[in-house]
Amino acid sequence: MLDKLVGLAMLVLASVVFLYYTTWTLLMPFVDNGHPLHDFFPPRVWAIRIPVILILLGSAVVGSFLSLVMIRSNRKKAAKRQAVEKGKKKA
């Protein structure tokens, strides 16, 4: 039951963020600059900066994770190779 509630909360949050961002980027350019509706949104330059920052940050996290996995995998392979070589030397 808790997993369904968490999933619903994530879906609602994603929908709200999507609607807010869509309104901000697609509808607000057609509203006059003096309109009080502009007070609810940051400057439009951030409509580009925020996704770029998130993409760069996400790429860095994924790249770091892949690097760690590759390094650990190579260490395991090297340890196995050394164990096999030691076994051959003893025989």
Side-chain angles (χ1 to χ4, degrees):
M1 182 65 182
L2 181 63
D3 57 341
K4 290 183 180 181
L5 187 61
V6 170
L8 179 65
M10 290 172 58
L11 180 64
V12 168
L13 179 68
S15 299
V16 168
V17 168
F18 174 76
L19 288 173
Y20 179 83
Y21 186 78
T22 302
T23 304
W24 178 28
T25 56
L26 297 179
L27 298 179
M28 291 310 292
F30 299 107
V31 177
D32 292 333
N33 284 335
H35 198 277
L37 205 57
H38 277 282
D39 296 337
F40 294 108
F41 300 96
R44 283 195 21 214
V45 82
W46 285 100
I48 300 299
R49 287 182 185 169
I50 290 172
V52 168
I53 290 169
L54 290 176
I55 287 172
L56 290 174
L57 187 63
S59 299
V61 168
V62 169
S64 298
F65 174 75
L66 289 176
S67 299
L68 286 174
V69 168
M70 289 171 56
I71 289 170
R72 288 182 182 166
S73 174
N74 284 338
R75 284 184 186 166
K76 285 182 183 178
K77 286 181 184 178
K80 280 185 180 179
R81 206 174 306 126
Q82 283 181 346
V84 168
E85 289 175 4
K86 285 182 182 178
K88 287 181 181 178
K89 287 182 183 179
K90 289 181 182 179

